[in-house]
Amino acid sequence: MHLAKNKQMAITFGLFPALLIYMIFAIYPILQSFYYSFMEWDGFSDMTYVGLSNFKELFQDPLFWNSAKNNIYVVLASVLGQVPIALFIALLLNRKLKGSKIFRTIGFMPVVLSTVVISLTWSLIYNSQDGMINELLRAVGLGALAQNWLGDTQWSMIAVCVTVVWQFVGLYLIIFLAALQNVPEEVLEAARMDGANEWTTTWKITIPMIWETILVAIILCIAGSLRTFDLIYVMTHGGPSHSTDVMALYMFNETFSNLQYGYGSAVSVVIFFFSLLLIFIVTKLLGRKMI
Amino acid sequence: MDTTVGTNSQTYSKSKVKKKRNKKNTIIYIILTLFAIVNAYPIVWMVINSFKSEQEFAVNQFGFPSEFVLENYVSAWNTANFGVLFKNSIFICLAATLITVFIGALASYFLARFSFKMNKIVYTLFLFGMLIPIHATLVPMFILIRNLGLLNSSVTLLFPYIAFNLPITIFILTSFMKAFPKDIEESAIMDGCGIFRIFWSIILPMSRPALATVVILNFINNWNEFSFALVLINDPNLQTLPLGLASFAGQFTTDYGAQMAGLTMTLVPILAFYLLLEKEIVKGMTAGAVKG
């Protein structure tokens, strides 16, 4: 009895610090944003309850839909860019050629770098005057193709997506490599004995065997690209003329530039549900196809 | 006669296979090299050009600098206040990482080694944090921190950094600690060890590999974090490196040299850290991914 009581106290005491900070600074803000989303509030004076009008306004704002559309572009670029490239390179690296470790090290490198460093570096690369891409084009005599990559509404989203893909290919590369190393050699050997060529073993055996991991990678990819904020904030700030605006940036500007805290919270809530929903749908869709 | 022909054709086909394989390997190496160049060159380009004078950058972007100019570094250090930024980043990173790992390890110990009524619920609650999109909390976080009177102080960033790194920390540590055999504690209790004593002198030392992983993961996350810093810190003297870099680049848009010097200075510590501890870092940064 005495011991049990002691144990109970120790457990409470041990969990308390982590739980306290986590509840106050992670869970509570989420709950608060639900509450604020029903209010009209400039952040300083009194709040007024406005029901669902923030959401109504939000869904009628073409700028919000524009940012949602751009967000979908980022998701598509990530899923269709990062995952296939990473898988392809991982399959090549899995052949255990000499020096594959170096390629792995270089491949993962961008993942550890700060998004701000990456954004600023790529901004310099895309620079309309002295940027690396334009200089390269001029050097090979294609100077006519030089663009103001980030300043032209036609190119800005593409330029941003290229950087997004570049930043995270390495992460999925490593995830796929780990999965590939767990594919038992005997199975592949048996297939080869039966006369299956490399193409067939890859498509019919290796990929189905790591399908679970590919699924996880796609979900991570979606969740990650819905969170895109830092990169675009630093590279273009959503411009030119909202061509690279994404939901998180829209929320940021509405809240902190236009001082609409209630409205901004409503956007937060929408982002929150939108990402949960998308992850749920993809899990269902791909999960079913697998079986 | 027949046999000779057979061997001949066999050796012939063997060397043909070998040739084919060599050709294939060459193609693979070419693809991998291209991949490596695309991955590394943007960074290499930036670092090399940070040592060129403005005039040289305009005419010669792709070669090595004719002479290494440190002027960019001096101007970045002085105008962007890099000394202060470094100090802030190091303090925030170390403090947040230490606190997160310590209280996270303590919580993980109880979640992994004790059965009690709320165990499953508490654990799930922590894991749920990995699904929260951080940007959905920027607005309420700003209001919360403001209401607590904590905006613009040297410890402001510790709170969100600790809270949002706890889920992955607890996830990694709990699954590691769960794998220890049950009788460790039993014999310790026989020897008269208290619950916290067991944590401190048995469980923590045994968890060293997992602790290394979470320390690294926390450190990199905190070192690179931008959004919370952007929203919660205005005072230039309290900015962290990513925030300071971004505002510096925003102010001196055309001073490419100084920008590249600043970027290089931010980059080098993390890159050195990565090359030194690659295995652990890769393990940490992919740990969240393999949770499914």
Side-chain angles (χ1 to χ4, degrees):
Chain A
M1 185 68 196
H2 180 69
L3 209 92
K5 210 173 180 184
N6 247 347
K7 198 180 109 184
Q8 207 61 49
M9 266 185 53
I11 291 171
T12 316
F13 186 77
L15 288 175
F16 184 71
L19 213 47
L20 182 76
I21 293 191
Y22 179 67
M23 293 306 281
I24 296 180
F25 292 98
I27 299 295
Y28 178 72
I30 283 285
L31 298 178
Q32 274 301 81
S33 66
F34 283 75
Y35 174 69
Y36 293 138
S37 69
F38 298 113
M39 303 288 166
E40 190 176 311
W41 189 32
D42 62 4
F44 300 96
S45 41
D46 288 335
M47 288 185 240
T48 30
Y49 176 79
V50 292
L52 290 171
S53 91
N54 281 331
F55 291 96
K56 237 181 252 160
E57 194 184 329
L58 170 65
F59 289 125
Q60 280 164 3
D61 186 356
L63 280 181
F64 169 73
W65 289 108
N66 171 57
S67 73
K69 184 194 75 193
N70 287 333
N71 235 151
I72 299 286
Y73 284 154
V74 179
V75 171
L76 285 177
S78 308
V79 174
L80 301 177
Q82 288 164 359
V83 175
I85 296 174
L87 187 59
F88 178 60
I89 301 290
L91 284 167
L92 294 184
L93 282 179
N94 195 41
R95 304 165 68 100
K96 294 170 191 85
L97 296 171
K98 240 179 255 163
S100 62
K101 204 179 160 282
I102 300 168
F103 292 113
R104 212 184 58 195
T105 305
I106 295 176
F108 192 75
M109 182 202 59
V111 184
V112 302
L113 302 181
S114 142
T115 305
V116 172
V117 169
I118 290 174
S119 315
L120 292 175
T121 304
W122 278 86
S123 299
L124 291 166
I125 288 172
Y126 286 134
N127 190 287
S128 58
Q129 270 119 48
D130 299 322
M132 180 175 95
I133 294 186
N134 285 346
E135 281 291 308
L136 263 180
L137 286 171
R138 279 181 208 121
V140 295
L142 291 171
L145 291 179
Q147 302 285 344
N148 185 1
W149 301 102
L150 290 174
D152 184 334
T153 48
Q154 215 182 335
W155 288 99
S156 52
M157 198 63 216
I158 297 171
V160 166
C161 285
V162 167
T163 311
V164 171
V165 173
W166 182 86
Q167 185 180 13
F168 284 116
V169 161
L171 178 65
Y172 303 104
L173 170 67
I174 296 288
I175 293 173
F176 290 143
L177 262 181
L180 286 172
Q181 269 148 21
N182 288 332
V183 174
E185 189 56 40
E186 302 90 66
V187 182
L188 298 176
E189 198 56 49
R192 264 179 235 127
M193 296 282 258
D194 289 342
N197 62 20
E198 217 165 320
W199 186 257
T200 339
T201 37
T202 305
W203 279 108
K204 299 268 156 146
I205 299 175
T206 316
I207 293 196
M209 282 192 89
I210 63 163
W211 185 247
E212 192 94 11
T213 310
I214 296 178
L215 182 66
V216 172
I218 291 174
I219 292 169
L220 278 175
C221 217
I222 293 171
S225 37
L226 279 177
R227 289 175 197 193
T228 308
F229 171 77
D230 312 16
L231 188 101
I232 296 180
Y233 179 88
V234 176
M235 276 178 93
T236 64
H237 220 302
S241 60
H242 297 284
S243 62
T244 55
D245 220 356
V246 286
M247 286 192 288
L249 206 60
Y250 174 78
M251 178 210 72
F252 182 87
N253 287 330
E254 289 298 326
T255 314
F256 296 105
S257 311
N258 300 346
L259 291 182
Q260 303 192 70
Y261 285 74
Y263 188 68
S265 299
V267 186
S268 301
V269 171
V270 172
I271 296 176
F272 181 68
F273 281 113
F274 191 60
S275 42
L276 287 189
L277 183 77
L278 213 56
I279 292 172
F280 179 76
I281 292 173
V282 171
T283 323
K284 280 276 170 255
L285 274 180
L286 292 178
R288 201 174 293 157
K289 215 183 239 169
M290 198 181 75
I291 310 163
Chain B
M1 189 62 169
D2 263 337
T3 25
T4 356
V5 175
T7 356
N8 264 346
S9 79
Q10 228 168 24
T11 40
Y12 170 71
S13 75
K14 236 182 207 166
S15 76
K16 202 172 138 195
V17 165
K18 212 174 182 184
K19 234 185 209 159
K20 209 175 151 196
R21 190 181 296 155
N22 271 340
K23 204 174 145 200
K24 206 175 197 177
N25 279 353
T26 316
I27 296 172
I28 291 175
Y29 274 119
I30 292 173
I31 296 174
L32 288 177
T33 310
L34 276 176
F35 171 72
I37 291 173
V38 172
N39 246 301
Y41 190 66
I43 299 298
V44 174
W45 172 84
M46 193 266 293
V47 173
I48 290 179
N49 283 313
S50 72
F51 293 103
K52 289 178 188 163
S53 66
E54 205 181 315
Q55 297 88 326
E56 202 187 349
F57 177 67
V59 291
N60 166 31
Q61 268 199 27
F62 298 107
F64 274 96
S66 54
E67 54 172 333
F68 280 80
V69 185
L70 290 177
E71 193 189 322
N72 294 327
Y73 285 82
V74 176
S75 98
W77 188 273
N78 291 335
T79 43
N81 228 351
F82 261 86
V84 175
L85 297 180
F86 259 106
K87 201 192 78 201
N88 294 338
S89 264
I90 290 173
F91 166 71
I92 290 286
C93 260
L94 286 180
T97 302
L98 279 179
I99 298 172
T100 312
V101 173
F102 184 74
I103 65 176
L106 194 60
S108 304
Y109 167 56
F110 287 101
L111 291 172
R113 309 298 297 176
F114 292 84
S115 54
F116 51 95
K117 232 195 308 183
M118 301 283 279
N119 190 322
K120 195 101 209 265
I121 297 171
V122 174
Y123 184 61
T124 315
L125 188 66
F126 275 121
L127 288 201
F128 174 71
M130 290 201 261
L131 288 179
I132 300 178
I134 286 185
H135 303 108
T137 68
L138 284 181
V139 179
M141 182 71 76
F142 171 77
I143 296 165
L144 173 67
I145 296 274
R146 193 186 63 186
N147 290 347
L148 292 173
L150 285 168
L151 278 184
N152 279 319
S153 87
S154 54
V155 293
T156 307
L157 291 176
L158 292 181
F159 300 100
Y161 286 9
I162 294 170
F164 280 95
N165 277 306
L166 273 174
I168 186 76
T169 304
I170 288 179
F171 168 70
I172 294 174
L173 290 178
T174 305
S175 39
F176 192 82
M177 290 176 184
K178 264 187 184 152
F180 298 158
K182 198 89 212 149
D183 38 347
I184 310 172
E185 283 130 325
E186 272 160 28
S187 57
I189 288 172
M190 293 291 206
D191 293 344
C193 263
I195 289 176
F196 289 99
R197 185 66 201 271
I198 295 173
F199 169 68
W200 187 252
S201 25
I202 300 173
I203 299 290
L204 268 193
M206 279 178 73
S207 309
R208 214 174 285 151
L211 286 173
T213 307
V214 292
V215 164
I216 288 167
L217 183 64
N218 267 279
F219 194 88
I220 291 184
N221 284 346
N222 294 336
W223 185 262
N224 292 341
E225 206 283 333
F226 175 71
S227 321
F228 283 131
L230 173 71
V231 173
L232 302 176
I233 300 291
N234 287 319
D235 186 344
N237 286 318
L238 297 170
Q239 288 182 339
T240 51
L241 270 170
L243 184 59
L245 260 181
S247 47
F248 174 68
Q251 271 168 0
F252 299 86
T253 28
T254 51
D255 192 349
Y256 307 132
Q259 274 187 48
M260 290 189 277
L263 289 170
T264 307
M265 283 191 278
T266 315
L267 190 84
V268 166
I270 207 82
L271 218 51
F273 189 56
Y274 169 58
L275 294 175
L276 219 64
L277 296 167
E278 190 198 338
K279 220 174 134 196
E280 291 297 325
I281 290 174
V282 167
K283 206 163 65 181
M285 298 202 67
T286 49
V290 284
K291 67 175 185 288

